[in-house]
Amino acid sequence: MVASVDGAEVALRPFGFSRGADIANVSIVQAGDGCNGEAFGDSPGSVVVVEPGGCPIDSKYANSVKAGASGLLVAEVAPLDEQAGQWSSPPLTMTGIPVLFSTSPDSAELLKKGGAVSIQFAASVGESEN
């Protein structure tokens, strides 16, 4: 994965179910905790940055999709490894746009203050055979 905010590298990690992305220099929309759909405004093509907590991740995701965002980034302030249990069972229907988390406090701060983000990573969501 390669990601940057205003040209500075940021450490991001996708949810295991997240689709890949090739998003180049799009604006960042700050949406607080992401629980209030009105906070997203009109965000077509933008990447929405939300803070953790407040509501389930699927609510944040639904609000991002409704606003027309091209991606959802959770600006986590603690390293993701410390928060791993909180993200264990997201719905598998959340595959329309990429969902990523910062993996360091420095990256979270860049996401919160930045104006534009670029993200590139390969991932696919497949069906398992029974």
Side-chain angles (χ1 to χ4, degrees):
M1 167 165 307
V2 177
S4 64
V5 173
D6 297 334
E9 186 176 334
V10 291
L12 298 176
R13 184 169 157 190
F15 262 128
F17 61 85
S18 192
R19 70 181 300 163
D22 191 1
I23 301 170
N25 203 35
V26 298
S27 63
I28 292 175
V29 172
Q30 302 291 332
D33 64 10
C35 301
N36 178 354
E38 293 176 15
F40 289 72
D42 191 24
S43 308
S46 298
V47 170
V48 175
V49 175
V50 297
E51 297 173 4
C55 63
I57 187 68
D58 56 332
S59 295
K60 298 170 193 286
Y61 175 85
N63 287 333
S64 299
V65 170
K66 185 176 179 181
S70 62
L72 172 63
L73 302 178
V74 180
E76 181 58 73
V77 294
L80 186 61
D81 293 342
E82 294 177 19
Q83 303 293 326
Q86 295 182 22
W87 318 113
S88 59
S89 300
L92 292 178
T93 56
M94 294 173 41
T95 58
I97 61 173
V99 181
L100 304 115
F101 289 83
S102 59
T103 59
S104 76
D106 291 341
S107 292
E109 287 304 311
L110 284 170
L111 291 171
K112 291 177 185 178
K113 295 177 182 177
V117 64
S118 295
I119 301 166
Q120 185 177 40
F121 73 101
S124 64
V125 178
E127 296 180 13
S128 62
E129 294 182 27
N130 293 334

